[in-house]
Amino acid sequence: MKQATAPGTQTASKPIRRTWRISRLKRDKWLYVLLLPGLLYFLIFKYVPMWGVLLAFKNYQPFTGFWKSEWVGFDHFKVFFENPEFFMLLRNTLVLSLYNLIFYFPAPIVLALLLNEIRRAVFKRTIQTMIYVPHFISMVIVASLTYVFLTTEGGAVNELLYQYTGNKIQFLSDPGWFRPLIILQLIWKDCGWGTIIFLAALSAVDLEQYEAATIDGANRWRQIWHITLPAIRSTIVILLILRMGQVLDNGFEQIYLMLNPLNRSVGEVFDTYVYTMGITQGAFSYSTAVGLFKSVIGVTLVLGTNWLAKKFGESGLY
C-alpha cells in the first residue's frame, strides 16, 4: 500500500530545496568563479566553432559570406572520396598511426616500469628530469636538430658514416626513412612525459603484494607481470581508447616540418592536406569536409574501442 502524503508537503519542500541551493551557491561562489574561465574557454573555442562544420556542406565564398554561400550538401565529400589522392592519404595516415600504436604507445609504459624498479630516489628523480625535458622543446627545434644531425651536407651522423664507410645515407629525402624518423622523434620528445600517468598509477600499488610475491618465490619479472601490469591495466586501456580517436590525426606541425617533395609519397597525410587545400589554395569548404571526415572517424573509433573494452571486462570511459 502506498503511504498517503499530506497535502502541501511536496509544495513545501520546493522552497526548502531552492533555499538550500542558493545558500550552497553563496557558500561556494569563489569555486564557481574559478570554474568560469574554463567554462568560457570550452564555450568560445570548442562549442561555438562547431558551427563552422556547416562550411563542409556549403560552397563558401568569402565575399558572399557564410549564410549567403550556396548549399551543396555532400558534394565536397564526394569529390574528396573520388580524388585519386584519397587512398594515398588514407594509407599514409593509417601506416603512421599503426607505427605509433606499435612503437610509441608502449614506450612510456616500458619506461615507467623501468623507472619503477629504481630504488634510489635521487637516481630516479634525476632520470625523470632528464627524460621530461625534451617535452618542453618545440617541434621546430626537434626538426632542426634532425636536419643538423642527418643532412648529407655536413650532418654529424653522415659525416661519421662517410668517415668509416665512405657512403652517406639520404635520411631526409629517402621515403623509406620518413616514418622511422617521425616515430623516433615522438619517442625522444614525449616518451618521458607520457610516463607521468603510469608512474602515478604505479604509486597506488600496495607494496605488501610485492612482499608476498617475494615470499612465494616470484622473481622481478613475475612480479611485474602479475602485480605491476594488472595495476595499470585500466589506465592503459583508457589511454588506448583516447589514442584511437587520433588514428587519423598524426599531428600537422611535425609532419609538415619533415615533409619535402622527395618523401611526399609516404609523408602526405590528412593534416597536411587540409592545410594545403584550405590555407594555401583557399578551398575552405573542401578542407572543412576533409576535417569533418577525420572527426567522424575518430569519434566512431573511440566509441567502438570503448564498447570493445567493456566487452572484455574493462570499465572504459563511461
Side-chain angles (χ1 to χ4, degrees), residues 272-291:
T272 55
Y273 184 72
V274 168
Y275 170 79
T276 302
M277 299 303 298
I279 303 300
T280 63
Q281 298 188 20
F284 301 110
S285 295
Y286 180 76
S287 60
T288 303
V290 179

Side-chain angles (χ1 to χ4, degrees), residues 20-216:
W20 176 79
R21 289 176 179 174
I22 294 175
S23 62
R24 186 175 181 180
L25 183 63
K26 291 181 178 179
R27 183 192 66 185
D28 300 331
K29 59 182 179 180
W30 294 114
L31 293 178
Y32 291 107
V33 171
L34 292 175
L35 182 65
L36 187 60
L39 291 176
L40 290 176
Y41 167 79
F42 280 97
L43 179 65
I44 297 173
F45 295 103
K46 300 296 182 180
Y47 287 96
V48 173
M50 285 184 182
W51 288 101
V53 301
L54 292 176
L55 283 178
F57 306 97
K58 288 175 167 283
N59 185 20
Y60 175 71
Q61 300 295 331
F63 296 103
T64 58
F66 178 82
W67 298 110
K68 294 184 179 180
S69 296
E70 180 187 3
W71 183 272
V72 296
F74 291 93
D75 288 356
H76 295 302
F77 295 92
K78 183 179 179 181
V79 172
F80 175 55
F81 295 142
E82 293 177 351
N83 192 326
E85 293 187 330
F86 171 74
F87 289 103
M88 179 198 73
L89 296 170
L90 184 63
R91 181 188 69 247
N92 294 343
T93 303
L94 291 179
V95 170
L96 269 177
S97 295
L98 182 63
Y99 280 21
N100 197 308
L101 287 174
I102 294 175
F103 298 106
Y104 171 69
F105 182 78
I109 303 173
V110 175
L111 187 56
L113 294 176
L114 294 175
L115 287 172
N116 191 57
E117 295 300 314
I118 300 177
R119 293 295 174 257
R120 290 291 186 88
V122 62
F123 292 157
K124 187 175 183 178
R125 287 196 297 267
T126 302
I127 295 174
Q128 284 180 294
T129 302
M130 292 174 62
I131 62 177
Y132 289 169
V133 169
H135 173 77
F136 301 98
I137 299 177
S138 169
M139 188 56 71
V140 177
I141 304 300
V142 175
S144 301
L145 291 173
T146 305
Y147 275 89
V148 169
F149 280 103
L150 301 181
T151 181
T152 55
E153 303 298 329
V157 175
N158 267 312
E159 288 298 323
L160 288 174
L161 288 174
Y162 184 77
Q163 182 178 353
Y164 289 102
T165 65
N167 297 315
K168 293 185 179 182
I169 300 177
Q170 302 287 336
F171 291 106
L172 302 177
S173 58
D174 186 356
W177 281 99
F178 180 81
R179 290 163 182 159
L181 287 178
I182 294 296
I183 300 302
L184 288 173
Q185 286 178 342
L186 283 174
I187 292 176
W188 179 79
K189 185 177 186 296
D190 291 328
C191 180
W193 187 256
T195 62
I196 294 177
I197 296 177
F198 297 108
L199 287 173
L202 289 172
S203 65
V205 181
D206 188 2
L207 296 179
E208 292 182 358
Q209 297 185 33
Y210 292 108
E211 295 175 1
T214 303
I215 295 173
D216 291 338

